[in-house]
Amino acid sequence: MKYFLSLSFLFLIGLLSAQSAYHQCGVNHEMDAQVKERLLANRAWAANNVVPRMDEIYVPVNFWRVGFDDGTGKIRITDILDQLCKLNLDYSDTRFIFYLNNILELDNEDVFLDPASYGAFLGSQKNGEGSDGVNIFVCQNAGTGGIGTTLGYYSPNFDFIVMRKQELPAPSSGTLTHEMGHFLSLPHPFFGWEGLPYDPDVHGNPCSVNTAELVNGSNCNFAGDGICDTPPDYLFSFSPMSCVSGCNFECEIYDRNNDQIFPHEENVMSYFDNCSVFEFTTDQENAMYDDQASPSRAYIRSDYVPDTNMVATNWVVNSPTIAQKYDNYNSVLFDWEDLDNASNYLVTISGSSNHEIIVEQSELFITDLLPNGFYTFGVRAYNQVSSCSVFTPAANLIFTTGDLETSNNNISEVDHISIYPNPVRNGSTLTISLDLNTNIAMTTSVFNTTQSTAISIKQNDFHSGLNNIELDVDGFPAGMYLIKFDAGDKQIVKRVVVTH
């Protein structure tokens, strides 16, 4: 098991429960044949080359948030983080570590509703912005035809994955794990039976199909999925037989040699569902390693090593406080303490309006909330690999906004403002330097994070050129402060941190 996952899933116990969505992927027989062809080609290539076996194989992943033309309808970013977390859990017994390379945006209603009809277009996106990782397009639908509802598919023609949006919020879903297996050259173990599952009334018992894989392994290198440690599977999970249910196969079925068949129900690439665990076989893992090392996969290989350290969870939120009332609505500051190993923070604000915003610093200044709004607030910390951390303990922290409006227009007369030192230690002096292109009168105000009370107000007549203001912060409690410069109906807001 990978060390960075050892404690990651305390918040998602449901991930360890029965998994019910490995079946019904959109890779049909023709697509699966292409996957198998690549597997066999990789095997031949590996036989004539030294294939390195790294202890850890880092794989960059690009998630595409596809939506309507107006940008609505997209998957939530928090669901993407959950799926990355789930993907690494499911591959934790392999050498693969998947890391978040990019979250990309695509506003295209046609693709959102029917991605299978726009393979070449999505391929061009993959070769453009997505050229440096595995590309996963999350759309409203993922249908390619075939049995049942399609939950996702891998396109061997264009080398990307499509996921149905409804699959990502489900923490127990293993669809992406399954499709990533296809990306890494794994066919279905029931290859050749797509569209017509085994039926003893049609195929006989013993099975009379001459091309079917045999239990004794004599044709395992080319029959079925071409992998010898995956036992025969004649798509039994879709068979009409009553002795098949979920993850339970209790049928006495024999191959043409009269050897009884015991399929691997828990195999990630099968269509059995509701198993307590799913797994890859050793030969499947080796096939995936060969694929990642092959010439066709050079674009996902690099010397880059992402941060695999677990993000800390000792949250300290400075603002908002519980049930805090912000007098302003279009000038609100959220602030929390840095967490070890976090490279990004996902801020979610829900209620009168909804927002998902990624920041790198432990603060967010937002200007587009609604007046007299009722909101909940949460922050989720993550890095490129450790995406399993929970939201702040007060993930449903409630706050409200008032109806006061703050103008945030830039003041054209100000060319540059610098504030130093920032952070500033309590008891020190803060210097504010303004570079102006003309003379102007401005009011300088300092507010705490509630923005309701001005701690300091100064009226200044500034001259063209460099102007300095000194502010004594003695007695200021540690925390975040706003410095506002007002010139009529125009305003500039800067932030400063005071430390002990």
Side-chain angles (χ1 to χ4, degrees):
M1 299 290 288
K2 297 295 187 294
Y3 62 91
F4 63 87
L5 289 171
S6 58
L7 298 175
S8 298
F9 293 90
L10 296 179
F11 80 106
L12 281 176
I13 299 299
L15 293 182
L16 304 177
S17 63
Q19 306 175 43
S20 61
Y22 278 105
H23 62 298
Q24 301 174 344
C25 96
V27 175
N28 57 32
H29 176 71
E30 290 73 20
M31 299 160 74
D32 216 11
Q34 292 176 270
V35 174
K36 183 176 178 180
E37 181 180 359
R38 193 170 81 243
L39 172 120
L40 298 177
N42 288 341
R43 182 179 296 164
W45 172 81
N48 295 297
N49 293 273
V50 176
V51 180
R53 286 289 189 260
M54 309 298 292
D55 290 337
E56 294 173 337
I57 301 172
Y58 301 106
V59 180
V61 176
N62 298 320
F63 280 94
W64 290 78
R65 300 175 68 227
V66 186
F68 291 106
D69 292 342
D70 62 359
T72 61
K74 295 179 179 179
I75 189 67
R76 299 183 306 170
I77 297 173
T78 189
D79 295 326
I80 289 175
L81 297 180
D82 283 346
Q83 274 296 302
L84 180 65
C85 174
K86 179 69 166 65
L87 188 65
N88 276 315
L89 172 66
D90 288 347
Y91 279 82
S92 60
D93 285 329
T94 75
R95 300 175 184 179
F96 290 108
I97 298 175
F98 300 92
Y99 66 90
L100 185 61
N101 189 51
N102 284 304
I103 296 177
L104 302 170
E105 308 290 332
L106 179 59
D107 302 336
N108 188 309
E109 182 171 335
D110 294 333
V111 172
F112 183 56
L113 299 177
D114 184 20
S117 296
Y118 295 90
F121 173 76
L122 292 179
S124 69
Q125 301 299 303
K126 171 253 179 186
N127 293 328
E129 283 189 86
S131 62
D132 55 353
V134 182
N135 288 271
I136 302 166
F137 294 91
V138 185
C139 302
Q140 181 71 24
N141 302 304
T144 58
I147 301 174
T149 301
T150 301
L151 308 181
Y153 68 90
Y154 164 65
S155 170
N157 282 329
F158 300 106
D159 204 30
F160 57 73
I161 293 170
V162 170
M163 288 285 295
R164 191 175 73 140
K165 186 177 75 170
Q166 289 87 335
E167 282 303 287
L168 266 69
S172 63
S173 170
T175 301
L176 181 55
T177 302
H178 179 104
E179 302 308 330
M180 189 64 73
H182 285 315
F183 177 89
L184 292 168
S185 81
L186 297 186
H188 292 127
F190 52 79
F191 177 80
W193 292 89
E194 301 91 339
L196 187 61
Y198 173 81
D199 184 340
D201 294 334
V202 176
H203 306 105
N205 188 15
C207 178
S208 60
V209 177
N210 290 330
T211 57
E213 185 176 3
L214 299 172
V215 173
N216 65 14
S218 59
N219 62 351
C220 66
N221 280 313
F222 54 87
D225 59 2
I227 297 175
C228 286
D229 66 350
T230 57
D233 182 349
Y234 303 164
L235 192 49
F236 293 125
S237 54
F238 278 10
S239 171
M241 299 181 295
S242 61
C243 52
V244 182
S245 177
C247 196
N248 297 316
F249 180 82
E250 299 177 348
C251 312
E252 289 192 18
I253 306 299
Y254 297 85
D255 69 11
R256 64 180 184 273
N257 289 339
N258 287 315
D259 291 325
Q260 187 173 353
I261 299 172
F262 298 94
H264 185 188
E265 296 99 320
E266 297 87 359
N267 194 281
V268 170
M269 303 310 296
S270 77
Y271 274 9
F272 289 96
D273 60 11
N274 290 321
C275 299
S276 58
V277 295
F278 284 88
E279 60 192 1
F280 295 105
T281 67
T282 299
D283 287 352
Q284 284 180 319
E285 290 183 20
N286 288 330
M288 291 191 289
Y289 301 149
D290 288 347
D291 186 72
Q292 188 273 341
S294 69
S296 66
R297 289 284 177 251
Y299 76 94
I300 64 170
R301 294 195 303 271
S302 73
D303 295 329
Y304 178 71
V305 177
D307 183 2
T308 60
N309 291 307
M310 284 182 59
V311 172
T313 57
N314 52 324
W315 284 104
V316 176
V317 177
N318 300 319
S319 68
T321 57
I322 297 175
Q324 181 169 339
K325 170 68 179 292
Y326 291 94
D327 291 342
N328 289 26
Y329 69 88
N330 71 328
S331 179
V332 176
L333 178 72
F334 303 100
D335 175 53
W336 56 95
E337 299 299 319
D338 290 337
L339 289 183
D340 290 343
N341 304 318
S343 62
N344 296 89
Y345 300 93
L346 173 63
V347 180
T348 62
I349 302 168
S350 304
S352 299
S353 57
N354 297 309
H355 309 260
E356 272 195 317
I357 304 169
I358 295 174
V359 296
E360 296 180 0
Q361 300 81 21
S362 55
E363 64 178 32
L364 171 65
F365 185 72
I366 189 167
T367 60
D368 55 350
L369 298 180
L370 297 178
N372 299 315
F374 182 88
Y375 291 96
T376 60
F377 162 84
V379 183
R380 181 173 180 174
Y382 66 96
N383 60 36
Q384 285 185 296
V385 173
S386 178
S387 64
C388 305
S389 62
V390 295
F391 278 97
T392 52
N396 294 316
L397 187 65
I398 295 172
F399 71 93
T400 57
T401 57
D403 58 3
L404 295 182
E405 181 177 5
T406 299
S407 171
N408 288 297
N409 295 331
N410 289 329
I411 302 175
S412 60
E413 292 85 353
V414 178
D415 289 334
H416 180 72
I417 297 177
S418 63
I419 300 174
Y420 56 92
N422 189 9
V424 60
R425 186 177 297 277
N426 178 282
S428 301
T429 299
L430 187 71
T431 300
I432 305 169
S433 293
L434 301 95
D435 191 5
L436 309 179
N437 54 51
T438 189
N439 297 337
I440 186 174
M442 289 192 296
T443 300
T444 305
S445 308
V446 180
F447 289 80
N448 60 21
T449 53
T450 66
Q451 304 177 61
S452 59
T453 304
I455 299 173
S456 174
I457 301 177
K458 291 184 178 182
Q459 178 69 41
N460 298 91
D461 291 320
F462 296 97
H463 58 81
S464 177
L466 187 63
N467 298 258
N468 288 326
I469 303 173
E470 290 189 347
L471 177 65
D472 185 0
V473 296
D474 186 29
F476 281 33
M480 184 74 64
Y481 294 83
L482 299 179
I483 301 177
K484 297 182 181 181
F485 304 91
D486 288 285
D489 62 350
K490 296 180 290 185
Q491 185 180 79
I492 296 175
V493 180
K494 295 292 184 180
R495 295 180 293 278
V496 65
V497 176
V498 176
T499 63
H500 288 298

